[in-house]
Amino acid sequence: MRKFLISLLIPTFVFAGEFRFGKGTTNIKSKIFGYSSNIKEDITTFSLVEIHKNIFKTRFFYGYDITFISSKREGKYLDLYNNSVETSPLPSTYKPYMEYELQGLDAQLDLGYDLLNKNKRKTYLGMAISLGISVPYIKNYNSNSNSNDTKTYLPDSKTKITTYRIGFSTKFAYNIFKRLSFFSFLTYAYQTGKIENKALGVNSDADGHYITAGLGVKFYLFEYEKKLWKITISPRLYITAGYKYDLWILNGVEVKNISLLVNKDDLKITNQVGFIGIGYSF
């Protein structure tokens, strides 16, 4: 599925694309990392996006979103650490301190049909089939204050997550006036994948669901129509600003590490990002 998705995405860059920069937060929640609460980190995103592009002026359209995510490090005391694995006497209140960061790539391709399309394709309502792949990873780092036993059982490592998904998307836009449009989108998908960190004792298949939603405004800096032989081209240059929400949930992730007081838990990652972008369309 990965090669199929990439082969479909590459040709679309020729016809339309948006370069987008985003800032926001991510929340990671799962007991498999040794803490019962969530980790909240600041994130930066870089994206190549086309929300909605009609194919040869028909009501059929495509869209894509390729986003790289990078977070700052955030520290956390592990309240689910099993002190009994320590070989040297330590206070019963001892809790290791770990730092985490999230990085990775998320890609989505939508193929659909407009139920409504007018105002030179600036106002539309479309439904689409959505395909996607996510390959984020979560790095964990020990602090100098952690014991040697902690560093043995919970070494610096990387939790790799690979998921594939299929679902449905809706796309909506309304042309407020000639150069300004409002847009929104929503995707819900079933996902399946694998979570792996052999150093922490995680090697689990998991299923779950994925949701992304967002809204924004698009302002056209330049638009022009010209007929070449029997083909009409409509080059456009625009800027965007908006908000995007992403949610990944994977159920029943197993962990086999005697230093943690947990055997299985769900993994939930939530991203909330404000973005600006500049795009083109032919």
Side-chain angles (χ1 to χ4, degrees):
M1 182 177 176
R2 184 185 305 183
K3 291 181 179 179
F4 172 73
L5 188 60
I6 293 174
S7 67
L8 288 176
L9 283 171
I10 290 176
T12 67
F13 301 150
V14 176
F15 301 103
E18 177 186 338
F19 301 90
R20 184 181 289 176
F21 171 77
K23 296 287 286 187
T25 59
T26 185
N27 278 275
I28 305 169
K29 183 174 177 59
S30 180
K31 294 179 181 178
I32 67 170
F33 298 110
Y35 54 87
S36 57
S37 59
N38 66 308
I39 287 180
K40 185 175 182 180
E41 302 172 338
D42 293 332
I43 59 171
T44 301
T45 62
F46 298 93
S47 305
L48 290 173
V49 181
E50 172 55 54
I51 297 174
H52 177 281
K53 175 65 175 177
N54 288 104
I55 302 172
F56 300 120
K57 301 189 184 300
T58 69
R59 290 200 173 202
F60 292 98
F61 71 88
Y62 68 84
Y64 64 85
D65 186 327
I66 303 173
T67 296
F68 175 76
I69 306 163
S70 179
S71 82
K72 293 184 177 180
R73 287 194 191 185
E74 179 70 20
K76 200 77 173 178
Y77 285 101
L78 306 190
D79 59 344
L80 298 176
Y81 185 69
N82 181 8
N83 281 332
S84 67
V85 302
E86 296 289 334
T87 57
S88 58
L90 284 172
S92 59
T93 56
Y94 168 72
K95 295 179 181 179
Y97 185 80
M98 307 289 288
E99 291 186 335
Y100 298 86
E101 64 177 336
L102 171 70
Q103 292 188 350
L105 187 72
D106 179 68
Q108 180 169 314
L109 175 66
D110 299 319
L111 300 171
Y113 182 80
D114 284 335
L115 304 176
L116 170 69
N117 191 309
K118 60 181 183 179
N119 295 337
K120 296 183 179 180
R121 300 174 301 284
K122 292 181 180 179
T123 296
Y124 56 78
L125 173 63
M127 303 293 293
I129 295 174
S130 178
L131 303 173
I133 179 173
S134 296
V135 283
Y137 56 87
I138 301 167
K139 290 183 176 180
N140 64 279
Y141 305 90
N142 275 273
S143 70
N144 292 330
S145 62
N146 289 347
S147 71
N148 289 332
D149 287 319
T150 296
K151 294 174 183 178
T152 298
Y153 285 107
L154 301 173
D156 294 356
S157 60
K158 181 190 296 185
T159 302
K160 300 177 182 178
I161 305 167
T162 303
T163 67
Y164 303 93
R165 63 181 183 266
I166 183 170
F168 297 94
S169 295
T170 61
K171 312 275 186 171
F172 172 75
Y174 178 73
N175 188 214
I176 301 172
F177 55 85
K178 184 178 179 180
R179 290 187 178 269
L180 184 67
S181 294
F182 166 84
F183 65 85
S184 65
F185 55 89
L186 171 66
T187 298
Y188 175 85
Y190 164 80
Q191 66 178 354
T192 185
K194 189 175 186 67
I195 303 173
E196 183 178 17
N197 186 333
K198 294 182 180 179
L200 299 186
V202 178
N203 188 6
S204 179
D205 295 325
D207 298 329
H209 64 267
Y210 168 87
I211 295 173
T212 186
L215 52 83
V217 291
K218 178 184 290 189
F219 181 77
Y220 293 91
L221 301 172
F222 169 85
E223 53 184 338
Y224 178 71
E225 284 197 3
K226 183 175 180 62
K227 192 167 185 178
L228 298 176
W229 294 284
K230 295 183 179 181
I231 301 175
T232 301
I233 60 172
S234 304
R236 296 174 178 177
L237 180 67
Y238 59 85
I239 57 174
T240 62
Y243 165 85
K244 185 184 179 187
Y245 170 88
D246 298 310
L247 170 66
W248 293 264
I249 292 182
L250 291 167
N251 300 314
V253 181
E254 297 179 350
V255 55
K256 298 177 181 178
N257 191 318
I258 61 173
S259 69
L260 298 178
L261 300 175
V262 61
N263 296 317
K264 181 186 291 188
D265 195 32
D266 298 340
L267 172 62
K268 179 179 179 181
I269 302 174
T270 305
N271 291 345
Q272 299 186 64
V273 174
F275 64 84
I276 57 174
I278 182 166
Y280 62 91
S281 178
F282 293 101

